[in-house]
Amino acid sequence: SNRIEMDKKVGNARVLLGTGLTALTLFGFYKYKKIKGREEQKERERRNQEFGSTISLKAELQKGLMGQSAFIKHRHEADVRSVETCDLSLVKQGLSSHTVIVISGFLSEMQDEFEEWAQLIPVLKREEILALKWKSLDSTTFLESVFNELGAGKLPQVKKKFNDAKQEAKKVGKILASAIMDHSDFKNREYTLIGHSLGAVVILSCIKYIYKCQKKDVNIKNI
């Protein structure tokens, strides 16, 4: 019986040690991502000023520079108002009328889009490359909320956060579709849409909305 009791104590100690090491690892990763996120934000702002420009599709739509009739017809005004971020940043200027729009996925909000998609630049030599920035959450905020929920004795709402981001992706896709269909800067071009994770949901929502609006003159070349 003494041996059984000792084995239980050793087992419990191992569980506690494993839990402690896991918590320390997560906390270290959280601190690293927070610091790295701040550095990437500063670098992104510097590179935007030096190399390119950013356009807020939501602001453009609200100012009436894009055709709002489609949104009114299909009652998507609420989607436009509720979306927090829907920006296109220039990654590379193009030498043709072919625009490639790249869209990152879940937990990519604070990632440097230039660094993430730079590998496409040598491949797409003539195409313009634009990166879509949307509120997909960032890993630092996500981990912070998980720690806060654990600290409050609650089960982290991971699935809810993902589903909320998925709904946001669908709304962003409709705004992107409206830009492609109606904004003067985006007309008479052919498009390739590239995305991963929830970025694929943005693309699917975009294609569905263009189809719903029956815009046959929109040239989506590749997905």
Side-chain angles (χ1 to χ4, degrees):
S1 61
N2 289 337
R3 183 175 181 81
I4 293 173
E5 187 175 344
M6 180 61 69
D7 289 343
K8 286 182 179 179
K9 288 181 179 180
V10 172
N12 290 337
R14 286 176 176 171
V15 170
L16 287 173
L17 180 62
T19 303
L21 288 173
T22 301
L24 283 172
T25 302
L26 284 172
F27 183 73
F29 179 71
Y30 157 71
K31 293 294 289 184
Y32 165 77
K33 292 296 290 185
K34 194 167 187 177
I35 294 170
K36 186 170 173 49
R38 288 172 184 167
E39 293 174 349
E40 288 180 347
Q41 177 67 18
K42 290 179 182 178
E43 176 65 9
R44 181 162 49 250
E45 290 172 357
R46 183 190 70 79
R47 291 170 79 167
N48 255 343
Q49 291 176 356
E50 187 172 343
F51 300 115
S53 58
T54 299
I55 179 173
S56 170
L57 299 185
K58 177 180 177 178
E60 292 289 281
L61 183 61
Q62 289 178 325
K63 285 189 297 184
L65 296 180
M66 290 192 289
Q68 294 191 14
S69 59
F71 279 82
I72 294 170
K73 179 180 178 182
H74 297 295
R75 309 195 190 288
H76 291 314
E77 310 98 304
D79 290 344
V80 178
R81 287 196 298 270
S82 66
V83 165
E84 292 190 36
T85 305
C86 186
D87 301 336
L88 278 175
S89 297
L90 181 65
V91 175
K92 183 182 81 69
Q93 293 182 338
L95 302 173
S96 69
S97 60
H98 187 180
T99 294
V100 178
I101 299 178
V102 292
I103 310 163
S104 300
F106 187 51
L107 301 182
S108 63
E109 188 174 343
M110 295 302 294
Q111 287 183 3
D112 186 337
E113 60 269 20
F114 298 96
E115 182 178 318
E116 182 178 6
W117 298 102
Q119 59 186 324
L120 293 179
I121 294 177
V123 180
L124 305 173
K125 296 179 180 180
R126 296 186 55 81
E127 292 83 353
E128 175 186 64
I129 303 177
L130 301 176
L132 181 69
K133 178 68 68 177
W134 63 288
K135 194 169 182 61
S136 60
L137 296 183
D138 68 275
S139 54
T140 302
T141 302
F142 178 77
L143 284 172
E144 192 172 40
S145 66
V146 168
F147 275 118
N148 289 338
E149 288 167 347
L150 286 172
K154 299 178 181 177
L155 189 66
Q157 301 295 309
V158 176
K159 187 174 181 180
K160 181 181 183 303
K161 291 177 175 62
F162 179 83
N163 287 335
D164 288 346
K166 186 176 181 180
Q167 292 305 312
E168 183 79 0
K170 292 179 180 180
K171 298 174 186 177
V172 167
K174 295 172 186 175
I175 296 178
L176 176 61
S178 185
I180 291 174
M181 290 187 293
D182 298 317
H183 197 292
S184 58
D185 290 343
F186 296 96
K187 286 187 174 181
N188 302 317
R189 301 189 68 82
E190 59 182 18
Y191 290 92
T192 292
L193 306 180
I194 301 174
H196 62 80
S197 179
L198 289 183
V201 175
V202 174
I203 292 173
L204 181 60
S205 175
C206 174
I207 297 300
K208 283 183 175 180
Y209 189 68
I210 292 173
Y211 178 78
K212 187 173 184 178
C213 292
Q214 298 181 349
K215 282 281 187 174
K216 297 180 180 179
D217 58 338
V218 175
N219 187 4
I220 304 293
K221 186 176 181 180
N222 296 302
I223 297 176

